[in-house]
Amino acid sequence: MGEPIGQGGDLVALAAEAYVYGYPLVSGLSTVERSMQEGVGPLAPTPFNHFAHAGQWAAPDTHFAPVGHDTVCSMAQLDLSGGPIRLHVPDTGGAYYVLQFVDTWTNNFAYVGRRATGTDAGDWLIVPPGWSGREPGGVRGVIDAPTSVVSVIGRNVCDGPDDITRVRALQEQYTLTYLEPGTHRTGLPAPDPDVPAELRFFEQLRVWLADFPPAAADCAYQDRFQPLGLLEEGPSPYVSAGSALVRALTEGMAQGRERVEAAARPTTVTGGGWEMDPHLYDYNLDHFGVGTIDSPEWKIADREASYLVRAVAARVALWGSHGYEAVCAHTSHDADGNPLSGAHSYVMRFEQPPPVEAFWSVTMYEAPDHHPVANPAGRRSLGDRTPGLVRGADGSLTVHIGKETPTDPAAVANWLPAPDGEFRPVLRFCMPGRAIIDGSYALPAIELS
């Protein structure tokens, strides 16, 4: 590679931009690799073009963002380099499920499921970029993938341990079959192993940029990264990079990382002190397939600003869904701004049930590790599908939160156990109503009882 152009400070700033821009690609594809080689969360390692299914709710030691306590997760990593793949989904009998399609840049570009396509059985054809073949008979539609590798994130609603058998039977009916003969990858393009560890991020970005190009407008933007060696083909320019380039890349990566971390820190909260952003995944500006909503409300107007939002989303909750599919709110503080702790007891009063078309719940997690909370009662979440809840005469619901079992039977029925130390409850709204999205529904504060 020739001498980098520009001054050292310019290259540092450019490397910081490249880190923010490329972080979702590297984070997402690193997780794709891990899901195939090691497994992720409750999912066993699984090769391309096969589903991995969790067999139960999230356990207390689960570390996996897409896992809630209302659904059982599935995942498939698709490689379309050998041609289209036919997906079969079962009839869920009206029960909520979703298959969310994510490209290598972490864009949610299609959804199949109750909100998007209903709950009847059917087949869908997933095709690679530029495919011009003939659609076979018997498919409900074509899902055009923006990249040749796609992550499919699945969630099936589960109403408790007694419902697991039904969910497993549905999981077994998800199938992926090749439409035509072809040679598919068994792994991702490999970065040069001789690149020093401190430059590995940029080597991964360089290799994966070449194989998984973004939308045309983004391609034009990333041309600016030529002086960093990110657009170099062939042997890696980072194996024997000069000291000036190494310094620019390492300093730029540190600055880019801090930029993402700073943007990920909450700056605004909703009513009741809850943090919620229904528009965290609105950075997809180019690919709107089955089940997506192509409207200005769900797009970030400034393309360059969308790169930082996309990096934050990949940092805090990789492969989350658009807010119109599901949205989460979380808090670590009570109504007075004090940290939530198992040393105290609390109440949370819902004057009216949250407006959702599928379900809502509140799940207890330990802080700061985000573990679901194990407790003798075996209850880690509570919501509109929890049997035996006691409501007031006016229809209100008071949730009792604390480590100690309440003495009042009605409070026991509405009890969400807390851990010994600090904790962080998460509200989930699946198929949220307009009042959730626009903030007109007031989320209840957590108050000392």
Side-chain angles (χ1 to χ4, degrees):
M1 188 179 95
E3 283 295 317
I5 61 175
Q7 301 300 313
D10 294 338
L11 282 184
V12 171
L14 193 62
E17 283 186 45
Y19 179 88
V20 172
Y21 174 79
Y23 177 80
L25 179 70
V26 174
S27 176
L29 285 176
S30 295
T31 307
V32 168
E33 279 194 325
R34 185 156 54 93
S35 70
M36 294 191 295
Q37 297 171 3
E38 305 169 19
V40 178
L43 302 171
T46 307
F48 272 132
N49 304 328
H50 292 78
F51 271 105
H53 301 292
Q56 59 185 7
W57 276 357
D61 61 350
T62 294
H63 298 262
F64 186 45
V67 176
H69 205 67
D70 309 284
T71 57
V72 178
C73 66
S74 301
M75 184 184 294
Q77 306 300 344
L78 306 186
D79 173 64
L80 304 171
S81 61
I85 292 176
R86 186 167 181 152
L87 163 71
H88 175 76
V89 298
D91 184 344
T92 67
Y96 177 82
Y97 85 98
V98 64
L99 295 179
Q100 169 190 338
F101 295 79
V102 191
D103 72 11
T104 58
W105 290 90
T106 70
N107 295 304
N108 297 317
F109 66 90
Y111 296 87
V112 169
R114 177 176 156 183
R115 177 196 61 82
T117 58
T119 62
D120 291 342
D123 286 17
W124 299 87
L125 190 67
I126 308 160
V127 306
W131 184 74
S132 59
R134 178 176 297 178
E135 178 183 332
V139 299
R140 290 184 58 183
V142 172
I143 296 174
D144 290 295
T147 54
S148 60
V149 166
V150 170
S151 297
V152 183
I153 315 301
R155 302 173 181 88
N156 278 86
V157 70
C158 183
D159 291 338
D162 294 339
D163 198 28
I164 290 289
T165 300
R166 177 193 65 85
V167 173
R168 286 177 175 167
L170 291 173
Q171 289 175 332
E172 291 174 359
Q173 297 177 64
Y174 290 113
T175 61
L176 297 164
T177 55
Y178 298 127
L179 180 64
E180 53 198 32
T183 301
H184 292 257
R185 293 186 183 96
T186 57
L188 294 175
D192 191 319
D194 294 327
V195 170
E198 66 267 26
L199 301 184
R200 179 172 171 77
F201 172 89
F202 289 102
E203 173 64 1
Q204 289 174 308
L205 182 55
R206 182 189 74 89
V207 171
W208 290 338
L209 277 175
D211 265 52
F212 306 107
D218 292 341
C219 283
Y221 175 86
Q222 72 186 29
D223 283 347
R224 70 183 65 196
F225 302 135
Q226 178 67 56
L228 301 174
L230 286 172
L231 306 184
E232 293 285 331
E233 298 180 359
S236 174
Y238 305 130
V239 171
S240 56
S243 60
L245 180 59
V246 171
R247 183 170 58 252
L249 291 174
T250 54
E251 292 180 8
M253 183 165 63
Q255 291 184 14
R257 184 183 293 116
E258 173 54 30
R259 192 177 302 171
V260 174
E261 294 292 337
R265 298 177 192 129
T267 55
T268 59
V269 295
T270 66
W274 295 87
E275 300 167 20
M276 183 176 73
D277 186 357
H279 296 286
L280 182 59
Y281 298 92
D282 290 2
Y283 47 80
N284 174 19
L285 306 178
D286 304 287
H287 309 290
F288 296 91
V290 173
T292 59
I293 298 178
D294 183 0
S295 74
E297 178 186 5
W298 299 102
K299 297 178 185 177
I300 296 172
D302 184 332
R303 180 175 290 270
E304 291 194 19
S306 75
Y307 301 143
L308 181 58
V309 176
R310 183 176 66 182
V312 168
R315 168 67 181 83
V316 300
L318 180 69
W319 298 338
S321 62
H322 278 101
Y324 50 75
E325 183 68 41
V327 67
C328 295
H330 60 88
T331 186
S332 300
H333 297 85
D334 65 18
D336 297 320
N338 298 313
L340 295 169
S341 169
H344 306 288
S345 295
Y346 306 88
V347 293
M348 180 171 59
R349 179 181 171 87
F350 292 86
E351 299 293 345
Q352 299 292 332
V356 293
E357 295 183 38
F359 61 82
W360 70 268
S361 70
V362 55
T363 303
M364 180 64 67
Y365 294 92
E366 293 178 351
D369 296 328
H370 205 63
H371 292 176
V373 173
N375 58 80
R379 176 181 281 182
R380 299 173 194 146
S381 69
L382 179 151
D384 57 2
R385 295 167 298 120
T386 303
L389 294 180
V390 176
R391 291 176 169 80
D394 58 357
S396 64
L397 174 67
T398 300
V399 177
H400 295 261
I401 302 173
K403 178 187 174 185
E404 301 299 330
T405 307
T407 56
D408 177 31
V412 173
N414 296 358
W415 176 42
L416 183 61
D420 290 328
E422 294 186 0
F423 60 86
R424 178 174 176 261
V426 174
L427 277 166
R428 286 186 173 87
F429 306 105
C430 190
M431 296 176 58
R434 169 54 53 184
I436 297 288
I437 298 298
D438 65 20
S440 57
Y441 176 82
L443 304 184
I446 299 177
E447 303 175 308
L448 287 169
S449 62

